[in-house]
Amino acid sequence: MILINLLPHREAARKRRKDMFNVGLGLSALSGVLIAGLIFLWFQAQISDQQDKNQILKTEITKFDKQIKDIAGLEAEIAALRARQQAVEDLQADRNMPVHLLTELVRQLPEGVYINSMRQDGQNVALQGVAQSNERVSELLRNLGTKSAWLTRPELIEIVAGSVSLGPRDQRRVSNFKINVKLLRAGEASGTTAPAVAASSPVAK
């Protein structure tokens, strides 16, 4: 006996294949969503961890900034204390400066040179005097510039030819001069070896 299947088997097979494709497609979509969700959660965890680290860094930076400000304040206080200490030392040293000035002038004045007036303004000293000749003035400048431990940087401001009367018939030619020189403090004088002469060449007027 011959059996003949009259049911639409092709349509049924096609439907089964379509249903399997739809199921596979749904599973693939579900797998993609799950993977994307896992990746998103992983990124979120990394971001959260990095934000925590950034917050820790910000907190530490704030602490360091505060410490830096404290250190800067301490350095400013130390600098102010050193400035005060230096001012006190300078005042103590300045008390002896007139003594050193007079002593050095006595030592360094060549024969034939006389000081008429002297004015001190801080470390700057202005000298006015009379010399027998321009050569004596030059010698004084050399002495002040190279031989003195307390005087340095002599500068010739002016030299003028003049004359003095030693008697009714005795007139002598002289050189009237003005010199500026710097008086060193104790700390500066201890490190002075051979100051350079800053004087210009004497020119008679």
Side-chain angles (χ1 to χ4, degrees):
M1 181 176 179
I2 300 174
L3 299 176
I4 299 173
N5 186 7
L6 299 176
L7 297 174
H9 62 89
R10 289 189 179 88
E11 286 78 5
R14 189 179 298 111
K15 184 179 179 182
R16 285 196 301 272
R17 289 195 299 271
K18 186 177 181 181
D19 291 340
M20 291 180 62
F21 175 77
N22 290 333
V23 170
L25 186 63
L27 291 175
S28 299
L30 180 61
S31 299
V33 170
L34 288 175
I35 293 172
L38 291 174
I39 293 174
F40 175 78
L41 292 176
W42 182 79
F43 275 116
Q44 284 295 110
Q46 293 295 320
I47 292 172
S48 177
D49 183 58
Q50 188 62 44
Q51 288 176 344
D52 292 339
K53 292 179 180 179
N54 292 343
Q55 187 61 40
I56 293 173
L57 288 175
K58 288 180 180 178
T59 304
E60 294 298 323
I61 289 172
T62 303
K63 291 180 181 179
F64 284 136
D65 288 340
K66 185 178 180 181
Q67 292 176 358
I68 289 171
K69 290 181 180 178
D70 293 339
I71 292 173
L74 290 175
E75 289 179 348
E77 291 180 5
I78 292 172
L81 289 174
R82 286 179 178 172
R84 292 175 188 172
Q85 180 182 2
Q86 186 63 43
V88 172
E89 292 176 355
D90 290 343
L91 287 175
Q92 292 177 345
D94 289 350
R95 292 186 305 176
N96 298 324
M97 289 177 67
V99 177
H100 297 309
L101 173 60
L102 295 175
T103 303
E104 284 301 305
L105 286 178
V106 171
R107 289 177 180 174
Q108 306 305 332
L109 279 180
E111 184 178 354
V113 177
Y114 307 93
I115 300 296
N116 293 334
S117 67
M118 176 175 56
R119 185 179 71 255
Q120 181 182 354
D121 182 12
Q123 290 183 261
N124 298 315
V125 180
L127 303 174
Q128 292 187 20
V130 179
Q132 292 179 352
S133 63
N134 290 350
E135 288 74 17
R136 299 291 187 183
V137 179
S138 298
E139 184 179 356
L140 173 60
L141 290 170
R142 284 194 299 271
N143 291 348
L144 295 177
T146 60
K147 295 183 179 180
S148 176
W150 295 95
L151 298 173
T152 185
R153 290 192 294 183
E155 180 182 2
L156 180 62
I157 303 301
E158 181 182 61
I159 184 168
V160 181
S163 61
V164 294
S165 178
L166 301 180
R169 298 182 180 179
D170 190 3
Q171 296 286 329
R172 294 288 180 90
R173 291 181 57 84
V174 294
S175 297
N176 299 306
F177 62 86
K178 294 181 181 179
I179 293 175
N180 288 344
V181 67
K182 181 181 178 183
L183 179 60
L184 299 176
R185 290 191 170 96
E188 298 172 326
S190 61
T192 303
T193 54
V197 179
S200 59
S201 300
V203 178
K205 295 184 179 179

